[in-house]
Amino acid sequence: MAPKIQWPLVLFSLFAGVGGCAFAFAGVANALGEMSGVTNAVTVAAFVLVCVGGLCSVIHLATPKNAWAVVTHILSFSGISVELIMLGITCVFMVAFVLCDFVAFPSIVKTACGLIGALSGVYLAFATGHGYLISSKPTWNTTKLPIAYTSTSLIGGALFYLSVSSMLGASASVTSLLIVVALLCGFFNVVALMAYMGHLGPEIARTNKKLYGYGIVFCGIMMNLITTAALYVLTLCSPELGALFTAVSFVGLAFSLIGGLALRMLMWIVGAGFLSLFDLAREHRSVILNQ
């Protein structure tokens, strides 16, 4: 039986995680002295991405009744309720971060909103993977999974920030510092993905060669490191962020999204086999009852 990938949940975790981590980079950039016009624009774009992710999650709930059940049981602190809580908290910090420029607050208030919001954005990425820790699913039941979710979201969020900010005249000095952080996120992504792949074992790699080799290793690891390294070299060679920098940023963002998507697809493929057992039993229940 073919495995069933829950695409709304795949897109929710990818978009919400990348959007939350992009906001984290905007908050750090603001603390480093980046112009408000740049950090606000990235935050608005990240807010839209997070909201799109949230809509994907709602689509998965299928009916308003299910959605209302989640809201009324939000304090149960189940996996889905924690995701919803962090989604709301991160969005609140995003809105507050932008509104600080329209209200006569001291600059320290916006800095605090940005840095605290950065933590909530990163934790949102972690929470979207932590809800899958289920003891009955050995391929999911490891903290290496949400850490891998976080690592793919961090590198995606970094390249999302660099792509948008470079089009808006971002400071080269601030950007060069953030690229170092992006490189560190890239190396962390390598360790996190390899750790989860090690948990799955070599047999799964052999049975999912294309997804593993092209999606995760090539796009999610190699191209992320190559593009972030290229961006770092470009900042060393030129005092300004040019069109080439923006182009490489968008290329890196595309590869990071493909890598993050591949990880989430593989997670469902290796875990859906357990769900298929229930589908198989339901389809053949009449045969079983007649025996």
Side-chain angles (χ1 to χ4, degrees):
M1 183 177 294
K4 296 180 179 179
I5 298 176
Q6 300 295 320
W7 288 107
L9 295 181
V10 167
L11 296 177
F12 161 66
S13 63
L14 183 64
F15 292 158
V18 170
C21 289
F23 174 50
F25 271 82
V28 173
N30 174 74
L32 293 174
E34 184 58 85
M35 295 181 296
S36 291
V38 173
T39 57
N40 286 350
V42 173
T43 300
V44 171
F47 179 83
V48 172
L49 190 61
V50 169
C51 288
V52 171
L55 288 175
C56 290
S57 180
V58 171
I59 290 173
H60 179 261
L61 295 173
T63 66
K65 181 180 179 180
N66 291 338
W68 179 246
V70 172
V71 173
T72 54
H73 293 84
I74 192 170
L75 294 181
S76 65
F77 296 104
S78 62
I80 192 169
S81 68
V82 171
E83 291 173 354
L84 183 60
I85 290 170
M86 292 312 304
L87 193 74
I89 290 175
T90 303
C91 286
V92 167
F93 275 111
M94 286 178 170
V95 172
F97 181 80
V98 174
L99 288 181
C100 280
D101 284 327
F102 299 92
V103 182
F105 287 143
S107 60
I108 188 65
V109 175
K110 181 171 185 176
T111 301
C113 281
L115 294 179
I116 298 173
L119 295 176
S120 71
V122 174
Y123 190 76
L124 170 62
F126 180 83
T128 60
H130 190 267
Y132 295 111
L133 269 63
I134 303 172
S135 59
S136 61
K137 291 181 179 292
T139 54
W140 292 5
N141 194 34
T142 171
T143 54
K144 296 172 184 176
L145 176 61
I147 290 174
Y149 265 52
T150 306
S151 70
T152 56
S153 296
L154 278 170
I155 189 64
L159 290 164
F160 185 95
Y161 173 85
L162 294 172
S163 299
V164 177
S165 65
S166 63
M167 295 189 300
L168 302 172
S171 167
S173 59
V174 173
T175 301
S176 63
L177 293 175
L178 292 178
I179 290 177
V180 174
V181 179
L183 273 171
L184 294 176
C185 290
F187 288 117
F188 171 61
N189 188 47
V190 173
V191 175
L193 287 178
M194 288 296 97
Y196 183 60
M197 295 304 102
H199 172 77
L200 295 181
E203 181 59 31
I204 288 178
R206 284 193 293 269
T207 54
N208 299 276
K209 288 182 179 179
K210 291 183 178 180
L211 192 59
Y212 182 90
Y214 295 122
I216 296 177
V217 176
F218 180 73
C219 295
I221 293 178
M222 292 178 58
M223 292 309 299
N224 280 340
L225 290 177
I226 290 172
T227 52
T228 49
L231 292 173
Y232 179 71
V233 172
L234 287 174
T235 59
L236 295 178
C237 296
S238 174
E240 296 182 358
L241 306 178
L244 180 59
F245 183 96
T246 302
V248 174
S249 298
F250 273 105
V251 170
L253 174 61
F255 278 116
S256 70
L257 292 176
I258 294 172
L261 185 67
L263 167 70
R264 288 156 176 79
M265 289 173 62
L266 182 64
M267 185 215 77
W268 277 102
I269 288 173
V270 300
F274 293 90
L275 298 177
S276 299
L277 294 176
F278 294 99
D279 294 335
L280 186 65
R282 184 171 61 251
E283 292 172 2
H284 295 81
R285 63 186 181 276
S286 59
V287 176
I288 296 173
L289 292 173
N290 291 331
Q291 288 180 346

